[in-house]
């Protein structure tokens, strides 16, 4: 289908085109012209910029009328139709051949090359060479002010001045006055197969109807002027046989229906339709008057400033069912909002829907960096998640920003259609680019938003996220791509030798600005949030040992060990310079009970523990946890915040609060508790509950049932029931975490550099082969060993692990380390051949 369109927006890769009747389409960069596509291919092949290749914005500007052909109509995922167009003259002028060309014809062409005396123009007619002399282009070049020359790929309205050799050579003009005066006449022999949009004709009224006018033109053709394209000055004052100028808007390829417009802006080729002033877009009009109502299409309104506006049927009410045609009588008044402007109809497009009138955001220009917005998950892609904020506004949440931690399987947390609350990291209305974050710490942050270097005043404290951790320090990013450096000496009050082990990409951090040079875009930051007070301030300084600082459950903090107590560690929160005291119970040092006791044993006063989570904050008594499974559950939102959120079938990560003869009580973050009765505790038969669980043990529990009246939750702890699907991957992840902690314990022991015993323990790892001497064989069949590599340690092998060997004290033998208990300095080994061979 051929249409006359008007350029609405120009981007690097496409032109957005306004089409008649409020529609819009787009022209991809590859559908401009052959010459331009060849230059693009050449640039891609060479991999470097070509000097004479101009960008679309160098050649096109909004408001220019262009002839288009529809190449495809596609339906997008959200049900909207996308109209793909081409302005390539080979496609637009395909109905023309060399013999059909006559002087006075108005065609669209493209500059295909620049010569000494003029330009070669591609008019899309095979076998025809079109030439534009330089003098016929001068006044156009001066008027458009785009440099001293026309550019390859530039679209032009050309009038044929002269034809030679039966149409094989034509001379053109783009002189503005000649183009504006051009008129399609019978003498030019137009036919229905080559008729073009944009031609101005003399039309005679045949019939006047409420929805439009039927006209005849070029003696034998008939066409339709719909209600949106009558001249608003004359409106319904048309009478049969009246003759006036009209411009062809569209030609349907099969039905051959021709639509025309009588609006003044289109009656002089090369002209431009009226634009809407920027401040009117999005405006709410309290009293708009119905001028006409068309039950199949919508209604035309007169706005408060006298201009006309159109509302489609679906924008007249919230739903089809609630639509009442009777309320749109001529003269009735309604509240509406301007949601768009149709250049081709020179009309505002309005909506009467309450949710659109009240909407906070209507276009990208309404959104500002740092705004918190609601949206719906639209699509999950490898680069991140697409979120629909409104019908016309879509944003991207990059993979790093899907949660406070990096999500390996985002599809487990998010589903298409989920409502999400995001914060705007970056918004570029010109490029329709919207970058969002779902990191809870950023979305909920009450600190100032830093989105330009000018606002980065020394002393400012704000939230950012780590994009890189190296030996020199951390690079932290904020909003609008503002970034700064935290040098190594500003990472903590304690020296950190390997920042990449403590900080990770995507981690949300609280920082203080030390220095900023806006011109150079240089920003120096610190994680040490409070500078030492000046001497004159010291009198005012009162010790704030029990300062009331509220921490959110799930908030991550770095802490320093102050004191070791029987039941855990007393620590101070580094972010608040040690003014806030908290505690980490021994059972919360790790997901693994064996590691909990070891860590308590190895940690000393003054040690720094990074990334510990606030588990509960009751005034002065803050309890923290280092259980990585619990932290992940909170950060990936796999938690319930209240009893009302619990649903049967949910899998929740928690920890054993109490072990009773009848079952196990499990507590979850945010204080919700449940009971796993004896029958649902284990896949094995349970005689004594204490043989299966210990207080503090991390567990994954499945919700079986809920008693809302008694506020009781029944749980299932059977391993067979509590896997989310990939049980092998889950098991390996837990094992990996266990060995990571064992390595950490080994490093702590090594650093303590206690006597040779500790050094020996550090060197012994499961799987290591040792040379031992049998010391004693006990009555139960187990044996004790000694050796130079295990001085001061108790080395033992059970009867099973002696295999078939008959050993006596004094024998030398090879053995394999199975397990090292650092707390009791015991080493368990095996002499079995099948293990030693591996």
């Amino acid at each position: 289908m051929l249409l006359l369109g008007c350029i609405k927006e120009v981007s690097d890769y496409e032109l957005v085109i306004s089409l008649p009747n409020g529609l819009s389409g787009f022209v991809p960069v590859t559908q401009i012209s052959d010459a331009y596509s060849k230059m693009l291919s050449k640039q891609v092949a060479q991999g470097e910029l070509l000097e004479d290749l101009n960008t679309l914005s160098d050649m096109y500007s909004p408001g220019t009328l262009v002839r288009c052909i529809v190449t495809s109509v596609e339906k997008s995922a959200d049900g909207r139709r996308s109209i793909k167009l081409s302005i390539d003259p080979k496609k637009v002028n395909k109905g023309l051949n060399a013999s059909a060309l006559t002087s006075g014809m108005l065609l669209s062409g493209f500059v295909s090359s620049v010569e000494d005396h003029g330009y070669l123009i591609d008019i899309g007619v095979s076998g025809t060479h079109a030439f534009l002399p330089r003098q016929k282009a001068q006044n156009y070049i001066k008027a458009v002010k785009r440099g001293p020359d026309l550019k390859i790929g530039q679209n032009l309205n050309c009038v044929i001045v002269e034809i030679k050799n039966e149409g094989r050579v034509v001379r053109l003009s783009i002189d503005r006055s000649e183009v504006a005066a051009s008129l399609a006449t019978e003498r030019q022999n137009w036919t229905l197969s080559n008729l073009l949009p944009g031609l101005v004709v003399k039309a005679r009224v045949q019939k006047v109807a409420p929805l439009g006018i039927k006209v005849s033109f070029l003696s034998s053709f008939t066409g339709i002027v719909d209600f949106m394209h009558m001249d608003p000055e004359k409106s319904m004052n048309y009478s049969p046989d009246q003759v006036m100028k009209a411009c062809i808007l569209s030609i349907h390829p099969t039905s051959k229906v021709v639509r025309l417009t009588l609006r003044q802006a289109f009656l002089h080729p090369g002209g431009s339709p009226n634009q809407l002033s920027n401040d009117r877009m999005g405006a709410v009009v309290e009293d708009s008057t119905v001028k006409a109502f068309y039950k199949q299409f919508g209604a035309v309104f007169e706005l408060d400033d006298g201009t006309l506006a159109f509302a489609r049927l679906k924008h007249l009410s919230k739903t089809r069912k609630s639509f009442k045609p009777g309320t749109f009588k001529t003269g009735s008044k309604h509240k509406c909002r301007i949601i768009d402007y149709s250049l081709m109809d020179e009309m505002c497009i309005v909506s009467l829907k309450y949710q659109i009138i009240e909407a906070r955001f209507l276009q990208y220009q309404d959104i500002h960096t740092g705004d918190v917005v609601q949206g719906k998950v639209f699509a999950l892609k490898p680069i991140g998640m697409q979120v629909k904020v409104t019908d016309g506004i879509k944003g991207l949440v990059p993979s790093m920003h899907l949660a406070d931690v990096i999500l390996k399987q985002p599809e487990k947390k998010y589903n298409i259609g989920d409502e999400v609350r995001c914060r705007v990291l970056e918004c570029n209305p010109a490029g329709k680019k919207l970058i969002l974050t779902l990191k809870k710490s950023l979305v909920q942050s009450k600190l100032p938003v830093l989105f330009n270097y000018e606002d980065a005043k020394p002393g400012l404290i704000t939230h950012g996220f780590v994009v890189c951790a190296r030996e020199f320090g951390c690079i932290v990013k904020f909003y609008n791509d503002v970034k700064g450096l935290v040098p190594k000496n500003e990472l903590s009050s304690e020296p950190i030798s390997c920042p990449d082990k403590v900080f990770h990409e995507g981690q949300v951090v609280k920082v203080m600005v030390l220095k900023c040079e806006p011109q150079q875009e240089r920003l120096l930051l610190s994680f040490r949030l409070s500078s030492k007070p000046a001497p004159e301030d010291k009198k005012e300084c009162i010790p704030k040992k029990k300062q009331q600082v509220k921490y959110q459950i799930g908030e991550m903090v770095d802490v320093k060990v102050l004191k070791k107590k029987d039941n855990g560690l007393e620590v101070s929160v580094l972010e608040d310079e040690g003014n806030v005291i908290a505690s980490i119970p021994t059972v919360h040092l790790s997901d693994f009970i064996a590691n909990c006791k070891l860590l308590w044993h190895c940690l000393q006063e003054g040690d720094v523990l990074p990334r510990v989570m606030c588990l509960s904050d009751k005034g002065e008594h803050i309890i923290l946890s280092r259980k990585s499974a619990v932290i992940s559950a909170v950060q990936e939102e796999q938690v319930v915040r209240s009893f009302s959120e619990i649903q049967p079938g949910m899998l929740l990560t928690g920890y054993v609060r109490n072990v009773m003869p009848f079952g196990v009580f499990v507590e979850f973050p945010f204080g919700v508790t449940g009971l796993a009765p004896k029958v649902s505790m284990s896949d094995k038969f349970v005689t004594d509950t204490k043989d299966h669980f210990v207080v503090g043990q991390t567990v994954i529990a499945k919700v079986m049932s809920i008693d809302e009246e008694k506020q009781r939750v029944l749980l299932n702890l059977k391993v067979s029931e509590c896997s989310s699907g990939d049980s092998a991957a889950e098991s390996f992840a837990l094992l990996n975490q266990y060995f990571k902690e064992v390595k950490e314990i080994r490093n702590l022991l090594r650093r303590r550099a206690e006597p040779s015993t500790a050094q020996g323990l550090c060197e012994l790892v499961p799987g290591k082969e040792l040379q031992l001497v049998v010391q004693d064989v006990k009555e139960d069949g187990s044996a004790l060993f000694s050796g130079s590599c295990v001085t001061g340690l108790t080395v033992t092998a059970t009867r099973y692990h002696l295999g078939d060997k008959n050993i006596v004290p004094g024998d030398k033998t090879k053995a394999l380390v199975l397990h090292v208990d650092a707390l009791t300095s015991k080493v368990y080994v095996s002499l079995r051949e099948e293990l030693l061979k591996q």
Side-chain angles (χ1 to χ4, degrees):
M1 185 173 182
L2 287 166
L3 296 150
L4 185 64
C6 182
I7 297 174
K8 192 174 181 180
E9 290 167 28
V10 183
S11 69
D12 290 345
Y13 302 107
E14 66 181 27
L15 303 174
V16 178
I17 309 287
S18 168
L19 299 173
N21 301 100
L23 297 171
S24 63
F26 69 97
V27 179
V29 70
T30 52
Q31 292 292 336
I32 303 294
S33 72
D34 270 5
Y36 193 68
S37 294
K38 276 174 190 162
M39 288 178 77
L40 283 173
S41 303
K42 190 178 170 188
Q43 178 167 292
V44 170
Q46 288 184 1
E48 55 186 56
L49 295 171
L50 297 180
E51 270 184 43
D52 49 351
L53 179 68
N54 294 285
T55 62
L56 293 183
S57 51
D58 288 337
M59 300 186 292
Y60 296 95
S61 51
T64 310
L65 290 171
V66 286
R67 289 168 170 166
C68 325
I69 186 164
V70 177
T71 57
S72 69
V73 179
E74 293 162 12
K75 221 173 187 181
S76 61
D78 58 352
R80 291 172 154 240
R81 288 177 183 225
S82 165
I83 304 171
K84 212 170 176 181
L85 306 164
S86 173
I87 53 174
D88 187 339
K90 278 192 172 57
K91 292 177 181 170
V92 173
N93 298 337
K94 67 180 177 189
L96 287 167
N97 54 37
S99 59
L101 299 176
T102 61
S103 60
M105 272 186 171
L106 179 73
L107 304 175
S108 50
F110 281 81
V111 179
S112 60
S113 88
V114 181
E115 308 296 327
D116 291 342
H117 300 291
Y119 307 89
L120 288 181
I121 305 294
D122 176 8
I123 57 169
V125 179
S126 59
T128 299
H129 296 282
F131 183 71
L132 171 64
R134 227 168 243 283
Q135 75 269 19
K136 288 288 187 184
Q138 280 320 103
N139 84 342
Y140 176 83
I141 290 170
K142 277 181 193 165
V144 293
K145 295 176 183 164
R146 284 187 179 270
D149 246 328
L150 296 177
K151 298 172 175 71
I152 292 174
Q154 197 167 336
N155 177 314
L156 303 166
N157 273 313
C158 316
V159 176
I160 297 177
V161 177
E162 188 184 2
I163 294 176
K164 293 178 183 175
N165 302 350
E166 296 168 343
R168 286 196 290 277
V169 178
V170 296
R171 196 159 56 82
L172 307 170
S173 170
I174 58 166
D175 186 283
R176 286 163 71 82
S177 54
E178 287 180 46
V179 169
S182 71
L183 201 65
T185 60
E186 285 94 337
R187 196 179 56 78
Q188 292 166 9
N189 293 326
W190 292 101
T191 67
L192 266 178
S193 58
N194 65 20
L195 200 62
L196 291 169
L199 293 177
V200 176
V201 295
K202 280 198 171 160
R204 183 184 293 272
V205 177
Q206 282 191 337
K207 187 181 174 188
V208 181
L211 285 177
I213 305 169
K214 192 178 178 186
V215 296
S216 63
F217 61 97
L218 296 177
S219 69
S220 59
F221 301 146
T222 57
I224 296 162
V225 178
D226 66 41
F227 63 90
M228 287 176 85
H229 286 278
M230 296 180 201
D231 187 344
E233 299 296 313
K234 295 177 184 161
S235 194
M236 293 306 289
N237 303 329
Y238 294 104
S239 53
D241 286 336
Q242 185 180 340
V243 176
M244 66 240 160
K245 270 186 176 181
C247 175
I248 296 172
L249 279 183
S250 66
I251 303 107
H252 196 281
T254 49
S255 66
K256 301 296 180 192
V257 170
V258 180
R259 292 185 176 270
L260 302 97
T261 179
L262 304 176
R263 288 180 167 269
Q264 288 300 315
F266 300 94
L267 302 183
H268 301 285
S272 189
N274 295 314
Q275 306 252 8
L276 178 74
S277 64
N278 287 339
D279 59 329
R280 288 291 281 170
M281 185 60 79
V284 174
V285 181
E286 291 295 333
D287 289 319
S288 58
T289 312
V290 176
K291 289 278 284 181
F293 172 66
Y294 306 96
K295 62 182 179 188
Q296 287 174 307
F297 307 105
V300 175
F301 294 86
E302 185 177 329
L303 303 182
D304 49 8
D305 60 355
T307 57
L308 293 182
F310 180 66
R312 291 191 188 91
L313 216 52
K314 69 172 185 179
H315 277 286
L316 291 176
S317 62
K318 189 176 179 181
T319 59
R320 235 175 217 175
K321 284 181 181 173
S322 63
F323 177 56
K324 296 184 180 73
T327 56
F328 295 98
K329 289 180 178 144
T330 306
S332 62
K333 293 193 182 296
H334 299 269
K335 185 177 180 178
C336 66
R337 187 172 187 181
I338 299 171
I339 57 169
D340 200 359
Y341 181 73
S342 172
L343 286 158
M344 285 305 294
D345 307 309
E346 294 186 308
M347 265 192 197
C348 292
I349 306 294
V350 296
S351 176
L352 277 69
K353 284 187 174 184
Y354 170 77
Q355 62 266 46
I356 287 179
I357 293 171
E358 298 298 318
R360 196 171 143 213
F361 308 115
L362 203 63
Q363 48 184 349
Y364 286 89
Q365 284 84 343
D366 301 334
I367 294 181
H368 302 106
T369 303
D371 281 350
V372 174
V373 300
Q374 288 283 129
K376 269 188 182 171
V377 176
F378 180 69
L380 281 159
K381 301 272 172 77
I383 55 161
M385 189 166 83
Q386 284 183 306
V387 172
K388 187 166 149 187
V389 179
T390 68
D391 272 348
I393 303 174
K394 292 185 184 78
L396 175 77
V397 181
S399 301
M400 187 207 283
H401 283 277
L402 291 171
D404 277 331
V405 291
I406 306 292
L407 296 184
K408 287 191 178 115
Q409 293 172 302
E411 63 282 358
K412 281 193 174 179
K413 182 172 179 183
Y414 299 109
N415 297 307
I416 308 289
D418 281 358
E419 289 267 354
V420 287
R421 191 162 173 260
C422 328
R423 198 162 202 165
V424 178
L425 281 178
E426 206 179 318
C427 184
N428 173 8
K432 292 193 171 176
K433 179 181 165 190
L434 181 64
I435 307 293
L436 306 163
T437 181
L438 278 165
K439 287 185 182 292
K440 213 171 187 178
S441 320
L442 289 178
V443 176
Q444 294 180 349
S445 173
K446 299 284 187 285
L447 296 174
V449 170
L450 183 60
F451 55 84
N452 61 46
Y453 289 94
E454 286 72 22
D455 289 349
K457 300 284 184 275
L460 174 85
I461 292 175
T462 184
H463 275 123
F465 54 95
V466 176
V467 287
C468 159
R470 297 282 184 277
E471 63 281 354
F472 54 78
C474 286
I475 292 172
V476 175
K477 210 171 184 185
F478 304 94
Y479 298 81
N480 269 356
D481 212 25
V482 172
K483 45 186 171 285
L485 172 71
V486 182
K488 200 170 178 178
N489 61 325
E490 292 293 340
L491 292 175
S492 168
S493 48
E494 300 293 319
I496 292 176
S497 55
C498 300
D500 54 325
K501 296 263 171 39
V502 179
F503 302 99
H504 61 86
E505 190 186 347
Q507 183 178 340
V508 176
V509 285
K510 206 188 265 188
V511 294
M512 183 170 80
V513 175
L514 294 179
K515 187 183 173 190
C516 184
E517 297 171 19
Q519 272 72 37
Q520 287 77 33
E521 295 193 345
R522 268 198 215 134
L523 183 56
L524 196 65
L525 308 160
S526 175
F527 289 157
R528 295 156 65 180
L529 296 186
S530 65
S531 47
K532 289 178 178 69
E536 59 267 25
D537 297 344
K538 279 195 176 169
K539 291 173 197 142
E540 306 294 318
C541 206
I542 300 156
K544 296 186 287 179
K545 195 75 176 169
K546 289 185 178 172
Q547 181 193 12
Q548 283 288 318
V549 180
K550 284 297 277 180
Y551 281 92
Q552 300 286 327
I553 294 174
E555 194 171 334
M556 303 302 291
V557 291
D558 298 344
V559 297
K560 181 178 174 180
V561 179
L562 292 180
K563 203 189 290 178
K564 288 172 80 168
K565 294 185 170 179
D566 292 344
N567 61 347
L569 303 174
E570 188 177 280
V571 295
S572 67
V573 179
L574 286 178
E575 276 95 332
D576 291 288
E577 285 294 306
N579 293 324
V580 176
I581 308 300
S583 64
I584 308 178
T586 304
V587 292
H588 276 283
L589 286 170
S590 166
D591 281 318
F592 311 98
I593 293 299
N595 287 356
C596 290
K597 292 170 187 167
L598 269 170
L599 279 162
W600 184 91
H601 176 74
C602 299
L603 287 164
Q604 301 294 325
E605 289 172 15
D607 283 348
V608 173
L609 293 173
R611 295 189 54 72
V612 183
M613 187 184 80
C614 177
L615 197 62
S616 74
D617 180 1
K618 297 185 176 72
E620 290 172 22
H621 197 60
I622 300 167
I623 294 178
L624 307 171
S625 177
R626 239 184 132 234
K627 287 180 179 286
S628 59
V630 176
I631 292 172
S632 293
V634 173
Q635 293 186 334
E636 292 184 19
E637 289 289 326
Q638 306 288 330
V639 287
V640 287
R641 290 166 186 273
S642 63
F643 186 86
S644 58
E645 289 181 21
I646 301 174
Q647 300 288 331
M650 273 184 169
L651 287 176
L652 300 171
T653 305
Y655 38 90
V656 175
R657 184 170 154 184
N658 212 343
V659 181
M660 304 298 281
F662 53 82
V664 170
F665 283 99
V666 178
E667 186 170 353
F668 304 103
F670 299 95
V672 176
T673 55
L675 170 71
K678 203 169 172 180
V679 289
S680 308
M681 271 175 57
S682 173
D683 289 305
K684 297 173 185 169
F685 180 74
V686 179
T687 311
D688 188 350
T689 51
K690 285 194 169 73
D691 293 343
H692 293 263
F693 290 97
V694 292
V695 173
Q697 185 176 338
T698 306
V699 290
I700 292 173
K702 186 176 187 176
V703 179
M704 287 166 64
S705 62
I706 308 150
D707 184 338
E708 287 192 28
E709 271 183 53
K710 294 177 181 169
Q711 297 267 300
R712 272 189 201 155
V713 184
L714 279 184
L715 305 168
N716 190 331
L717 293 177
K718 290 180 180 177
V719 174
S720 58
E721 294 280 334
C722 296
S723 168
S724 62
D726 194 349
S727 51
E730 285 170 16
S731 303
F732 280 121
L734 287 167
L735 264 176
N736 188 31
Q737 181 60 29
Y738 172 77
F739 286 121
K740 210 166 146 188
E741 285 180 14
V742 168
K743 196 174 172 186
E744 181 190 3
I745 291 163
R746 208 174 286 123
N747 288 339
L748 284 167
L749 278 170
R750 200 175 275 128
R751 215 172 70 211
R752 298 281 162 261
E754 276 173 12
S756 56
T757 316
Q759 205 56 38
L761 277 169
C762 297
E763 303 308 323
L764 294 173
V765 290
K768 188 171 182 174
E769 202 175 277
L770 305 175
Q771 287 290 345
L772 300 173
V773 177
V774 181
Q775 229 182 351
D776 187 18
V777 180
K778 295 188 175 177
E779 286 176 18
D780 63 2
S782 65
L784 289 171
F785 302 86
S786 63
S788 57
C789 52
V790 290
T791 313
L793 303 173
T794 307
V795 184
T796 181
T798 59
R799 185 174 166 184
Y800 170 79
H801 278 290
L802 291 176
D804 304 329
K805 294 181 181 173
N806 289 318
I807 53 169
V808 290
D811 281 1
K812 286 184 178 177
T813 181
K814 277 184 185 175
L816 195 81
V817 177
L818 292 175
H819 175 63
V820 181
D821 186 342
L823 273 179
T824 57
S825 298
K826 276 187 182 174
V827 181
Y828 296 89
V829 296
S830 176
L831 275 64
R832 291 184 78 92
E833 280 300 324
E834 63 267 33
L835 289 176
L836 284 164
K837 276 177 191 167
Q838 288 178 0

